[in-house]
Amino acid sequence: MDDGRLRPARMDEAAALEDLMREASMIWDDHREDLLAHPDAIEVPRADLRAGRVRVHEVDGTVTGFATVLPLPDGTAELDALFVRPALMRHGIGARLVEDAVRAARAAGAPLLVVTANPRAEAFYARCGFRTVGEAPTRFGPAIRMYRDLAPL
């Protein structure tokens, strides 16, 4: 499907990105009640937008997904957010956003890209080259901690 393009997110897209994040987060029952009870959990930090850490995928001017890559104090990078419109999941958008995140992390000199993933997404990240290293606590329960080695090919 993917005939879209990748670009930096704009500040004026923050609310729309949060709507997309909410839509994608609500498709599973696992944390729906938690998210409804804590709407503050759905947020795209404005500082990340200003810093150019949020990248969007769009098709014909419509944002179809986004990802955020953060630098970590130890020099690694974290894929802090990856969301795709539910109707467009399994069409290559998420994988394309992951590869864009890998390029950004490599360009920043990070040796690893880490992600704390919903257990439902573990197989997706494994297909994208991530390896599971264990569990990680989150606000709404345990998640899967994974990493991808960014050594040059």
Side-chain angles (χ1 to χ4, degrees):
M1 171 231 161
D2 192 345
D3 291 321
R5 72 179 185 111
L6 295 163
R7 63 167 175 79
R10 298 185 313 263
M11 287 297 294
D12 67 344
E13 293 177 307
L17 295 177
E18 289 170 349
D19 288 345
L20 189 159
M21 185 178 183
R22 186 174 296 101
E23 179 186 357
S25 297
M26 294 291 189
I27 63 169
W28 308 113
D29 292 334
D30 306 24
H31 299 296
R32 186 176 296 132
E33 286 183 32
D34 292 327
L35 292 169
L36 290 170
H38 302 280
D40 61 303
I42 303 290
E43 179 192 16
V44 176
R46 300 326 186 248
D48 292 339
L49 287 166
R50 276 190 294 281
R53 295 182 186 125
V54 183
R55 304 259 302 159
V56 301
H57 179 276
E58 70 175 9
V59 175
D60 298 327
T62 299
V63 174
T64 56
F66 74 94
T68 303
V69 176
L70 303 178
L72 295 178
D74 66 0
T76 62
E78 180 160 19
L79 181 56
D80 186 59
L82 176 66
F83 294 95
V84 174
R85 290 200 185 282
L88 299 173
M89 289 177 175
R90 299 189 178 267
H91 287 89
I93 295 166
R96 187 149 174 220
L97 285 162
V98 167
E99 289 310 308
D100 187 62
V102 165
R103 280 190 294 280
R106 276 193 181 126
L112 298 173
L113 181 63
V114 297
V115 66
T116 300
N118 180 312
R120 291 179 180 270
E122 185 175 14
F124 164 77
Y125 285 112
R127 286 190 302 276
C128 291
F130 286 80
R131 293 176 37 186
T132 301
V133 292
E135 282 192 351
T138 71
R139 183 176 178 180
F140 300 126
I144 305 296
R145 190 70 168 168
M146 303 179 81
Y147 77 94
R148 179 165 163 180
D149 187 344
L150 300 181
L153 302 174

